[in-house]
Amino acid sequence: QAAVTAAPVAASHLGLAAGSIIVVRRAGTQDSLWSVSPVPTSALKLIDLPFRPARMLASPDNTKIAILPAAVGGKVYIFYVALAKLAPLSFTSQGVKRIDGMTWLSATRLLVSGSGSVKRTAYPLADRLYAVTTTPGKPAAFRRLKGTEPSAAPGAKLLVYVRLRDGGPVTGNPGARFVVESLIRLKLVAGSTPHVIGQVRYVDSYDIRRFRDPGVSPDAKYVVTSTTGSDISVSYMVRKTSTGTAVHKQNTTLAGRDETAWSHAGDKVAFWGVPPIGSMTNTYLYAYDTGAKKLKHGKPIANVAVTGIAWAPDDSLIAYALHSPGQADDRAHLWTAVPGASSTPTDLGAGSLPVWLP
């Protein structure tokens, strides 16, 4: 195991090493942001967080990190990397009480999905899209669109999101209703209209999601989604954004939340899972190459859940956070590995929700 040195850093003296990985570490009841440098291995405390985070996402220019709290609410926080400053962005003026997803539309514009209900549900039928600039930060409805779990490719000016709507009662099944789930792409140019690239109808009592957590590639050529149900099985699907045509499907099982991450070049996507056939205690980190159409994975990892995946700036390594099933996400351990290779991973100490900055 690699030795890790640690020292708190004042905001006015912040100096991150090139290629730092920003992670969440928990000490007692306090979550904090840390910067971990893989080579040489070191760690610097950046700032204490007044909440437990659920997701972190770097802006396209890597100067900011959007942080979604785990607790239900109408706020997202922005961490300004160079200043080690944390600032809230509130969507409550739009009636938002729960935020379910977020993505960057540009270096200064954030898009979220949310609704006025505080109840978490498998089917956020009332979710709408809202946009805000990080300064001055006045949120507004985004093109009056209903939808959830947005994912954007700012450089390619494309947005992918999910729309869930009520599909009416199920004949012969009192109380049950259909849900219609659509996978939608939208060009981020004036006058564009949403285009459905995938759609399915199912019964709400099955807890099925066909296009959960879409992630569009940086070049906007592909989108990865996961199909989940009431059991532990998960199917990852890579599709063409132009037509919705599937190019790869991988069946897995999970002991946690699905996680995916695209390489910066947009030619590979990483995800995790347990093979549906074989040992149920071995976790694999997969990497699918869209050009070669090949799937690779590294060495099996014993009985863990993945709570974050991030590619190195040059796509040579993957950072991922692991924790034992049943543990909280912010109790994870940070590792790096060569994508799809059998080489031994490197242990970087505690850390979850990794964001790898250049």
Side-chain angles (χ1 to χ4, degrees):
Q1 177 172 324
V4 177
T5 59
V9 177
S12 59
H13 298 92
L14 182 65
L16 301 185
S20 295
I21 306 171
I22 308 301
V23 298
V24 175
R25 288 182 171 181
R26 188 168 185 83
T29 60
Q30 178 64 62
D31 274 358
S32 304
L33 286 186
W34 286 69
S35 169
V36 178
S37 176
V39 182
T41 305
S42 62
L44 302 173
K45 183 178 179 181
L46 304 178
I47 192 171
D48 287 334
L49 299 175
F51 54 85
R52 298 185 84 161
R55 189 182 177 198
M56 303 206 303
L57 188 65
S59 61
D61 62 356
N62 295 300
T63 62
K64 296 174 285 294
I65 298 174
I67 308 176
L68 180 62
V72 173
K75 290 182 181 179
V76 170
Y77 288 79
I78 303 298
F79 177 69
Y80 293 86
V81 176
L83 302 174
K85 176 185 176 183
L86 192 69
L89 285 178
S90 176
F91 292 82
T92 56
S93 64
Q94 295 295 312
V96 177
K97 298 180 180 178
R98 187 193 72 242
I99 294 175
D100 296 314
M102 63 181 184
T103 189
W104 289 95
L105 295 176
S106 71
T108 59
R109 199 171 184 218
L110 189 72
L111 182 73
V112 307
S113 61
S115 77
S117 171
V118 297
K119 182 180 179 181
R120 293 194 188 279
T121 173
Y123 305 112
L125 304 178
D127 270 19
R128 292 178 174 269
L129 300 180
Y130 302 89
V132 65
T133 54
T134 52
T135 53
K138 292 183 178 181
F142 181 74
R143 303 192 184 188
R144 299 181 179 179
L145 290 175
K146 293 182 178 180
T148 191
E149 298 168 1
S151 176
K157 296 187 181 301
L158 189 79
L159 173 70
V160 176
Y161 62 97
V162 175
R163 170 76 193 281
L164 295 154
R165 62 180 177 85
D166 181 83
V170 180
T171 303
N173 191 348
R177 300 190 70 82
F178 285 113
V179 172
V180 178
E181 182 175 3
S182 303
L183 184 65
I184 300 172
R185 64 175 171 86
L186 174 70
K187 292 183 179 180
L188 296 173
V189 296
S192 61
T193 57
H195 181 76
V196 175
I197 58 174
Q199 189 172 85
V200 67
R201 187 179 75 159
Y202 43 72
V203 180
D204 60 2
S205 59
Y206 296 158
D207 290 337
I208 296 170
R209 283 292 310 277
R210 180 62 59 85
F211 308 118
R212 182 175 174 179
D213 292 334
V216 65
S217 61
D219 58 10
K221 292 181 179 180
Y222 300 96
V223 59
V224 61
T225 59
S226 61
T227 297
T228 59
S230 57
D231 58 9
I232 61 173
S233 65
V234 172
S235 296
Y236 291 98
M237 183 80 76
V238 180
R239 305 170 184 271
K240 293 181 179 180
T241 56
S242 57
T243 62
T245 303
V247 298
H248 180 74
K249 179 181 179 180
Q250 180 66 30
N251 294 325
T252 67
T253 58
L254 294 183
R257 179 72 186 240
D258 53 299
E259 290 282 350
T260 64
W262 283 98
S263 63
H264 299 284
D267 59 340
K268 298 180 182 69
V269 61
F271 52 91
W272 77 284
V274 177
I277 300 177
S279 173
M280 291 297 292
T281 60
N282 283 340
T283 299
Y284 286 93
L285 192 68
Y286 298 94
Y288 177 71
D289 188 320
T290 58
K293 294 182 172 52
K294 290 184 178 181
L295 180 73
K296 295 182 179 180
H297 63 74
K299 289 184 175 180
I301 312 163
N303 195 31
V304 293
V306 176
T307 177
I309 304 172
W311 290 78
D314 63 358
D315 291 337
S316 62
L317 294 171
I318 289 181
Y320 54 99
L322 306 175
H323 65 80
S324 299
Q327 282 188 323
D329 288 355
D330 52 12
R331 295 291 188 183
H333 220 68
L334 182 68
W335 297 78
T336 58
V338 177
S342 59
S343 55
T344 301
T346 300
D347 183 357
L348 297 180
S352 62
L353 307 176
V355 172
W356 205 326
L357 300 180

